[in-house]
Amino acid sequence: MKHLKTLMAATALTAMTATAAVAEKWDMPMAYSATNFHSATGAEFAKCVTTGTSGALEIVTHPSGSLFKGGEIKRAIQTGQAPIGERLLSGHQNENALFGFDSVPFLATSFDDSAKLWEAAKPTIEKLLDSQNLVLLYAVPWPPQGLYFKKEVNSVADMKGVKFRSYNTATARLAELTGMLPVQIEAAEISQAFATGVAESMVSSGSTGYDRKVWESLTHFYEVDAWLPRNYVMVNKGVWEGTDDSVKAVIRGCASIAEYAGNYRSKEYTGFTLNGLRAGGMTVGPASEGLVNELKEIGKTMTAEWLENAGAEGKAIVDAFKAMQ
Ligand code: PCA
């Protein structure tokens, strides 16, 4: 008995020493508001890693672009200014068209299709990120994308000249093709942009409109279900390679749970936030058939353009996705 106690004490001491020796803190910049489901998922992921490693690795999230703004997060991680972080994948479409696979209008319009499209695209995206000094951990879709305005809109003609907030190359192109005037603005800054009239419309999820209380400036949300873009969490490759295998295993496990939980939350948040927009006084409902048909025509143009820009690897993603239907 005494022997066992001594042994246990020795083991505890070794564990403590090991913990003390490698105890590390990773700051994790995130671009979206603290209340958003992606940020909630990231916070749970961070807690899972911290608990799972007995504090040997503590991850601390910084939502709302408070540590690095959305547009700066990827570079910050590539260069090692931050070890880990989350960003909108299609935000990098200007670097490489492949990053925009999830923002091709009407290619994947439901959560189920979005999951299949991700399965088709993941190996290519993982390789691309790896070539940029980044390790992919997990990715979670936003709810389906619809259109926000401050007036009733029933056709593309009604959009002409409207100032449109974009968040990636595809959304800016959508504005051009509908005769609107694109201006790129981070989600963290849209409430102000709408309040001051810098922008008066956008394509986004009910989630982002709800998070940013856009009913204070806008009046209509049209459900279009045009696509479901993804956020992803990445780690600096050098930092990853320098991490103990036992810690890496915990991170991978927590990342896998985060991906499932994030998907669950995204679906749940879809209805919740559309009701939230209604409660804020907005008119929420499907876009008219005429408008949807016009948008689908524009979608065809954008699909062709994306396939051209994304080359053989882009086509392979679409083919793999279609083969899953
Ligand atoms: N919200 C993010 C990207 C897609 C979405 O639903 C945004 O509007 O910036």
Side-chain angles (χ1 to χ4, degrees):
M1 189 62 197
K2 185 155 177 257
H3 208 73
L4 186 64
K5 263 193 186 157
T6 318
L7 189 69
M8 279 169 67
T11 311
L13 198 69
T14 317
M16 270 174 66
T17 318
T19 303
V22 296
E24 214 181 307
K25 181 179 146 202
W26 287 1
D27 284 310
M28 176 168 164
M30 305 184 83
Y32 303 93
S33 53
T35 52
N36 176 268
F37 72 95
H38 285 295
S39 305
T41 303
E44 290 296 331
F45 162 75
K47 214 189 285 174
C48 176
V49 172
T50 305
T51 312
T53 63
S54 305
L57 174 59
E58 183 191 5
I59 299 184
V60 180
T61 56
H62 300 271
S64 298
S66 56
L67 193 58
F68 289 98
K69 288 194 194 309
E72 300 167 350
I73 290 175
K74 176 162 172 268
R75 179 129 296 274
I77 297 158
Q78 280 179 292
T79 56
Q81 290 170 274
I84 187 170
E86 184 197 58
R87 180 56 179 157
L88 179 75
L89 193 51
S90 60
H92 318 317
Q93 202 181 350
N94 55 341
E95 290 174 26
N96 187 322
L98 285 170
F99 283 124
F101 76 92
D102 65 12
S103 300
V104 177
F106 304 108
L107 178 60
T109 59
S110 65
F111 279 99
D112 281 353
D113 276 354
S114 156
K116 287 178 190 158
L117 182 58
W118 177 232
E119 198 186 323
K122 191 176 168 184
T124 308
I125 297 298
E126 222 165 3
K127 199 174 70 188
L128 182 55
L129 290 171
D130 180 80
S131 75
Q132 298 186 336
N133 202 32
L134 296 168
V135 175
L136 171 72
L137 285 187
Y138 69 86
V140 172
W142 286 90
Q145 305 291 290
L147 287 163
Y148 287 87
F149 293 102
K150 54 200 288 190
K151 63 174 185 179
E152 193 180 319
V153 168
N154 293 310
S155 66
V156 167
D158 291 343
M159 300 182 194
K160 200 169 167 50
V162 168
K163 285 182 260 173
F164 180 86
R165 173 263 169 172
S166 64
Y167 62 71
N168 61 14
T169 310
T171 52
R173 184 68 182 134
L174 178 69
E176 282 170 10
L177 290 168
T178 50
M180 297 193 281
L181 311 167
V183 46
Q184 183 137 348
I185 303 167
E186 276 300 311
E189 273 128 41
I190 59 175
S191 311
Q192 207 191 344
F194 290 136
T196 56
V198 168
E200 46 193 4
S201 70
M202 68 173 172
V203 63
S204 192
S205 54
S207 161
T208 290
Y210 176 82
D211 292 337
R212 308 312 305 159
K213 297 189 172 58
V214 298
W215 53 82
E216 289 172 357
S217 306
L218 307 180
T219 54
H220 289 72
F221 178 73
Y222 293 101
E223 292 166 70
V224 181
D225 296 353
W227 64 85
L228 290 79
R230 266 165 204 269
N231 276 6
Y232 74 110
V233 171
M234 70 202 107
V235 182
N236 173 284
K237 199 165 143 186
V239 170
W240 180 253
E241 283 167 358
T243 300
D244 271 10
D245 283 348
S246 55
V247 173
K248 277 185 191 158
V250 173
I251 296 174
R252 285 285 186 205
C254 293
S256 173
I257 294 171
E259 189 157 306
Y260 284 111
N263 271 278
Y264 186 96
R265 287 192 176 105
S266 190
K267 288 174 197 165
E268 196 181 39
Y269 212 49
T270 303
F272 172 79
T273 54
L274 292 186
N275 284 334
L277 295 178
R278 280 188 194 100
M282 293 185 75
T283 305
V284 176
S288 71
E289 211 184 306
L291 176 57
V292 170
N293 287 338
E294 284 184 290
L295 291 172
K296 286 199 168 150
E297 280 307 308
I298 288 169
K300 280 186 196 157
T301 305
M302 289 180 63
T303 305
E305 288 176 354
W306 184 78
L307 281 169
E308 183 161 343
N309 293 333
E313 282 180 294
K315 186 175 179 306
I317 291 174
V318 173
D319 289 348
F321 166 64
K322 294 218 161 128
M324 292 177 201
Q325 300 296 303

